[in-house]
Amino acid sequence: MYKNILVAIDDSETSRCALTEAAHIARCSGAKLYVAHVADETLMGMHNRTFSTTLNLDNALKAIVDAGRELLDDAVKQIEGVSVEPLLLEARQRRVSETIADKARELGCDLIVIGRHGRRGLATMILGSVAEQLAKIADASVLLVRKH
C-alpha cells in the first residue's frame, strides 16, 4: 500500500475532490499525507506591466503566499484520522508541475493526487494542464481526480 501521499491543491472544486480522495486513500492505507499548494508567481509575469505600474511586486508576492497559507490551513482542518503535513511551495520561475514532482521525489512519495481541471484559463489550452504535465514527469503514480 501507499506510505507517503502528496495531494496538490488550489482553490478549485476539483482540487477539493482530490483532497477528499487523497485523505480517504491515506486513511485506508495508513499513509502520511502531504497537502501541497504552489504559490505561482509566474502568473504575475503574464501581466507584468499591470502589476509593475499599479502594485508593489513584493506586496503582490506576499499576497499570493498568504493566500496559499490560508488555503492550506483550511484544507488541513478538513482532514481527520490521518497524519498530515501542509507544504507551501514556490514555483520560482518554474512550472508548477515540476515543483510538485520534485517535492514528491524529495519526500519519497509513492502517490500524487491532483484535480484534473483547476483554474488555468488560456495557459491550459496553450501549455496543457498542470495535472497532465505532472502525470508525464512524476516518478510516483499520479491519480487525476475529476469533479464528483
Side-chain angles (χ1 to χ4, degrees):
M1 229 50 223
Y2 300 111
K3 293 180 182 173
N4 294 298
I5 300 170
L6 185 145
V7 58
I9 65 167
D10 59 17
D11 63 348
S12 68
E13 190 171 343
T14 54
S15 177
R16 287 186 286 281
C17 293
L19 179 65
T20 300
E21 189 75 19
H24 175 72
I25 294 169
R27 200 173 299 109
C28 289
S29 61
K32 177 162 186 170
L33 181 62
Y34 296 95
V35 180
H37 173 73
V38 179
D40 186 9
E41 72 272 5
T42 59
L43 294 176
M44 288 181 13
M46 293 170 55
H47 307 286
N48 195 23
R49 282 192 184 163
T50 303
F51 276 106
S52 65
T53 58
T54 60
L55 294 173
N56 177 309
L57 287 177
D58 290 334
N59 287 342
L61 279 171
K62 183 182 179 317
I64 289 170
V65 169
D66 289 347
R69 279 194 190 103
E70 185 176 331
L71 183 69
L72 286 169
D73 289 345
D74 290 344
V76 168
K77 288 176 188 173
Q78 297 174 30
I79 299 169
E80 294 178 4
V82 175
S83 174
V84 62
E85 181 178 330
L87 301 170
L88 182 60
L89 310 175
E90 294 185 38
R92 301 273 180 201
Q93 311 257 330
R94 301 177 64 218
R95 286 186 170 191
V96 170
S97 56
E98 293 169 344
T99 304
I100 296 167
D102 287 349
K103 184 50 101 172
R105 192 174 301 115
E106 175 188 320
L107 295 170
C109 293
D110 40 14
L111 178 65
I112 301 170
V113 181
I114 188 167
R116 174 65 181 82
H117 284 277
R119 296 183 188 159
R120 284 293 190 218
L122 185 60
T124 299
M125 292 176 16
I126 295 170
L127 300 173
S129 74
V130 170
E132 290 166 344
Q133 292 169 9
L134 186 58
K136 291 176 185 175
I137 65 171
D139 291 341
S141 296
V142 178
L143 174 60
L144 305 180
V145 177
R146 293 189 183 278
K147 185 174 116 181
H148 57 277

